[in-house]
Amino acid sequence: MNGNDKSGPATVAELAEQLRRFADERDWQRFHTPKNLAMALAGEVGELLAELQWLTPDESVRLMADAELSGRIRAEIGDIMIYLTRLADLLGIDLLSAADDKLAEAARRYPADAVRGSAAKAARA
C-alpha cells in the first residue's frame, strides 16, 4: 500500500478504496472472489493463532511487550484486516454497520445485569 508512509487510510472506506486500487494495479480482481478472500482470511487467522498457540494466558496478555513477537502479531492482524476489508467491500457490506448490528444483538441477548462475570453462552434467541 503506502510502503513506509505511516499516514495511511483514516477510515475503513478509505482502506477499502486503497485495497481496490492495489488489486486493480496488479490485475488481481479476478482472484478476489468471496471464496478466495474468505479462505485467505481464515489462513491469516490461523497464522495469528499459531503465534499465540503455546503461550500461557499470562504470556498472551503481555505479548506486546516483546518487540519481536509484537511485530509478528501486528503483521498478522494487518493481514486479517486487509482480507476482511477486501471481502466486505466486494460483498457490499459496511464493516462498521455490521459490527454495530452484531453488538446491538449481543447486548439484547446478553444483558449486562444478567451475564456480568460469566463466560457462559446464552441460549440462541
Side-chain angles (χ1 to χ4, degrees), residues 52 54-65 69:
L52 301 172
W54 301 113
L55 299 179
T56 66
D58 218 28
E59 289 170 333
S60 73
V61 170
R62 295 188 321 267
L63 64 89
M64 296 307 284
L69 183 55

Side-chain angles (χ1 to χ4, degrees), residues 87-104:
L87 177 60
D89 184 49
L90 185 68
L91 295 174
I93 295 170
D94 178 304
L95 278 173
L96 295 178
S97 176
D100 190 52
D101 291 347
K102 286 298 290 186
L103 186 57

Side-chain angles (χ1 to χ4, degrees), residues 70-86:
S70 66
R72 294 195 313 260
I73 296 297
R74 181 177 163 78
E76 296 308 337
I77 288 176
D79 287 338
I80 290 165
M81 182 68 174
I82 286 170
Y83 283 122
L84 179 61
T85 302
R86 188 72 179 114

Side-chain angles (χ1 to χ4, degrees), residues 6-110:
K6 297 293 183 189
S7 62
T11 67
V12 175
E14 289 173 357
L15 177 59
E17 175 58 34
Q18 188 177 6
L19 293 170
R20 263 184 254 126
R21 280 194 316 270
F22 188 87
D24 286 345
E25 290 168 357
R26 289 153 181 81
D27 193 25
W28 286 353
Q29 313 89 324
R30 59 188 153 154
F31 306 117
H32 288 190
T33 64
K35 177 197 75 75
N36 286 354
L37 290 167
M39 290 176 69
L41 178 58
E44 294 301 335
V45 170
E47 290 182 20
L48 176 61
L49 290 172
E51 293 291 345
L52 301 172
Q53 184 172 9
W54 301 113
L55 299 179
T56 66
D58 218 28
E59 289 170 333
S60 73
V61 170
R62 295 188 321 267
L63 64 89
M64 296 307 284
D66 179 309
E68 181 183 336
L69 183 55
S70 66
R72 294 195 313 260
I73 296 297
R74 181 177 163 78
E76 296 308 337
I77 288 176
D79 287 338
I80 290 165
M81 182 68 174
I82 286 170
Y83 283 122
L84 179 61
T85 302
R86 188 72 179 114
L87 177 60
D89 184 49
L90 185 68
L91 295 174
I93 295 170
D94 178 304
L95 278 173
L96 295 178
S97 176
D100 190 52
D101 291 347
K102 286 298 290 186
L103 186 57
E105 177 187 338
R108 180 187 58 76
R109 288 184 57 209
Y110 306 103

